[in-house]
Amino acid sequence: MVKRRFGVAIIGCGIISLEHVKAYQAFSEQCEIKAVCDLLPEKASKLANFIGGNVRVYTDFKEVISREDIDIVSICTPPFAHKEAVIAAFTAGKHVLCEKPLAASLADCDEMIEVATKNNRKLAVSFQYRYRQDFNKMKHILNRGSLERVTFGQLNGLYWRGKSYYEVDWRGKWNTECGGVTINHEIHMLDIFLWLMGEVESVSAEIETVLHDIEVEDVSMAVLRFSNGAIGQVNGTVSSVIGDVSMSISGENKGVSFPLKYHALIENDGGFPIQDQQGIEELEKVANEIEVGTSDHRGPVGDLLQAIISDEDPIVNGIEARKVIEVITAIYKSATQGKRVYLPIDKNDPWYSTTGLQRLVKKGKQNSLPTEQSG
Ligand SMILES: NC(=O)c1ccc[n+]([C@@H]2O[C@H](COP(=O)([O-])OP(=O)(O)OC[C@H]3O[C@@H](n4cnc5c(N)ncnc54)[C@H](O)[C@@H]3O)[C@@H](O)[C@H]2O)c1
């Protein structure tokens, strides 16, 4: 008997949907795209034409998820629209691959995770960097303890976006983009940084809107204290003319950085550094124990397919994807209140919910002054 391939539907047929399509097509022995859906029928039709075959076009996602031959739904809608479609898909018995950010708040993440569990369905989130060879080499070095005690880390996610970028209706607004550069651009590198550095204890941050005429932040800077004693600094912006996407992690004498490079030092008599070639080679040797990896959406799609087949959790499941949302929530809270925020963020904290966060958060060019707000 020929085993049926998983039926796939794509909801939201904008920029990122094409990456999902290409990734599912790379796993064509296991799955087949059967439906595409967008509020704008011309966008759905365009994607259906690209895919070819018997792909049906929809404008209402509820019709798509009621189809029995759909097993997996990719949510490629703007951030504010993730939750409704994800919950409806789980309730209809589908597995879900949701685009980042999983949701606008911790409360929404928790609701999605809970509904997935209740319906015994898999939730994977598109953090495609998690499957890359370079980041997995860095993770392997840390897992093996090759840096010994991690002391300091630094992350830059410095980009530039022009005026017309924010003319897309959902961008630039708290209730639709659900935040600015922190939650939408820096999130990928921040997710990797947290994955490598470990559990965050506290966050001190600033956000600002320096260049664009938008409600959300276009600059974000934070100092993170980790429970292993390390300290880290993270910067994100869409207002930097000088682009820089980089990361460094230091142990006492050894370090790794992205773009991938290994570092090792010994000190001379005066305490100044001398390159330790043997130490660098040791790090390279450990890193080279990892040779696999993929840099595009084949990572999350393959992860979800494997999770369904083996009935295990995806590597980047809801709980993993929630971690970065907690730190981002703390960045917004700290920047608004002008004080350090300790994790975890409690369910009774007004910043836990989307309505609380979006009501309280500093918007646009408002001054960031310490206030007496509770929580
Ligand atoms: N993983 C990545 O590297 C990456 C890159 C870009 C975007 N994204 C994420 O992907 C998501 C979509 O971003 P995009 O750039 O493709 O946006 P986009 O505006 O190009 O596309 C979104 C599409 O969703 C449609 N849509 C909105 N609500 C809908 C609904 N209820 N039902 C059906 N269709 C609906 C819109 O009409 C639009 O065509 C966002 O969450 C974004 O953060 C991820």
Side-chain angles (χ1 to χ4, degrees), residues 342-355:
Y342 290 86
L343 299 188
I345 300 224
D346 191 80
K347 287 193 174 172
N348 298 316
D349 188 318
W351 290 80
Y352 174 76
S353 71
T354 299
T355 44

Side-chain angles (χ1 to χ4, degrees), residues 11-17 20 37-40 43 59-61 75-82 84-85 99-101 126-129 168-171 183-184 188 297:
I11 298 178
C13 301
I15 296 171
I16 204 61
S17 63
H20 287 242
C37 171
D38 200 290
L39 294 176
L40 305 172
K43 288 181 91 169
T59 52
D60 181 354
F61 72 77
I75 308 295
C76 302
T77 55
F80 77 98
H82 291 176
E84 189 192 358
E99 261 308 330
K100 61 80 191 158
S126 284
F127 281 115
Q128 67 270 20
Y129 289 12
V168 171
D169 60 349
W170 60 268
R171 293 194 187 127
I183 203 164
N184 266 316
H188 282 294
H297 274 65

Side-chain angles (χ1 to χ4, degrees), residues 60-337:
D60 181 354
F61 72 77
K62 293 191 186 82
E63 282 180 39
V64 180
I65 58 175
S66 68
R67 270 179 66 166
E68 280 194 4
D69 60 344
I70 300 292
D71 307 284
I72 297 172
V73 178
S74 260
I75 308 295
C76 302
T77 55
F80 77 98
H82 291 176
K83 181 182 150 189
E84 189 192 358
V86 167
I87 287 183
F90 285 137
T91 309
K94 314 303 180 193
H95 302 286
V96 170
L97 171 58
C98 182
E99 261 308 330
K100 61 80 191 158
L102 176 57
S105 68
L106 291 169
D108 288 357
C109 290
D110 287 344
E111 201 179 328
M112 289 150 108
I113 294 165
E114 205 180 301
V115 181
T117 310
K118 199 171 131 205
N119 289 281
N120 195 22
R121 299 290 88 179
K122 309 295 180 196
L123 168 59
V125 184
S126 284
F127 281 115
Q128 67 270 20
Y129 289 12
R130 284 273 199 121
Y131 310 88
R132 281 170 59 142
Q133 192 185 83
D134 43 12
F135 292 129
N136 277 283
K137 283 179 187 279
M138 290 169 81
K139 178 72 175 165
H140 187 62
I141 282 174
L142 284 152
N143 282 350
R144 287 280 304 268
S146 303
L147 300 191
E148 296 176 5
R149 188 171 66 89
V150 174
T151 55
F152 171 78
Q154 210 256 349
L155 162 66
N156 276 345
L158 311 185
Y159 311 89
W160 190 88
R161 294 289 184 272
K163 253 190 190 164
S164 53
Y165 179 82
Y166 285 102
E167 279 162 13
V168 171
D169 60 349
W170 60 268
R171 293 194 187 127
K173 302 180 193 96
W174 274 99
N175 65 353
T176 47
E177 191 175 358
C178 306
V181 61
T182 325
I183 203 164
N184 266 316
H185 306 81
E186 189 189 351
I187 192 169
H188 282 294
M189 290 297 284
L190 185 55
D191 170 68
I192 295 296
F193 191 65
L194 301 177
W195 184 49
L196 298 175
M197 292 287 291
E199 193 185 75
V200 175
E201 211 171 67
S202 73
V203 175
S204 311
E206 290 276 352
I207 58 170
E208 197 47 80
T209 312
V210 298
L211 180 66
H212 303 85
D213 189 16
I214 54 174
E215 215 182 47
V216 297
E217 82 286 0
D218 59 13
V219 174
S220 167
M221 294 173 177
V223 172
L224 313 182
R225 286 190 172 273
F226 294 87
S227 38
N228 57 16
I231 189 163
Q233 190 219 7
V234 296
N235 300 315
T237 183
V238 281
S239 306
S240 177
V241 172
I242 298 104
D244 179 23
V245 180
S246 61
M247 186 187 295
S248 70
I249 298 182
S250 283
E252 287 179 44
N253 294 91
K254 288 184 178 150
V256 278
S257 59
F258 171 83
L260 190 59
K261 198 170 170 195
Y262 312 106
H263 310 259
L265 305 166
I266 41 175
E267 64 176 86
N268 70 9
D269 291 345
F272 288 94
I274 306 170
Q275 185 165 297
D276 170 14
Q277 194 53 37
Q278 195 188 330
I280 292 173
E281 282 162 21
E282 278 164 23
L283 287 181
E284 258 174 359
K285 201 169 158 219
V286 172
N288 287 341
E289 289 167 9
I290 297 282
E291 285 300 347
V292 288
T294 171
S295 56
D296 55 27
H297 274 65
R298 282 173 299 168
V301 164
D303 186 10
L304 178 59
L305 290 169
Q306 187 51 41
I308 298 169
I309 292 163
S310 59
D311 194 18
E312 282 169 4
D313 250 354
I315 295 167
V316 188
N317 52 48
I319 294 184
E320 277 300 299
R322 182 193 192 277
K323 289 179 183 168
V324 71
I325 299 295
E326 182 155 41
V327 171
I328 290 169
T329 304
I331 288 175
Y332 290 149
K333 181 176 172 181
S334 169
T336 301
Q337 299 189 333

Side-chain angles (χ1 to χ4, degrees), residues 350-370:
W351 290 80
Y352 174 76
S353 71
T354 299
T355 44
L357 188 156
Q358 293 185 359
R359 177 172 52 85
L360 294 169
V361 73
K362 166 179 147 45
K363 297 177 185 76
K365 293 179 169 35
Q366 276 174 13
N367 277 334
S368 176
L369 295 171

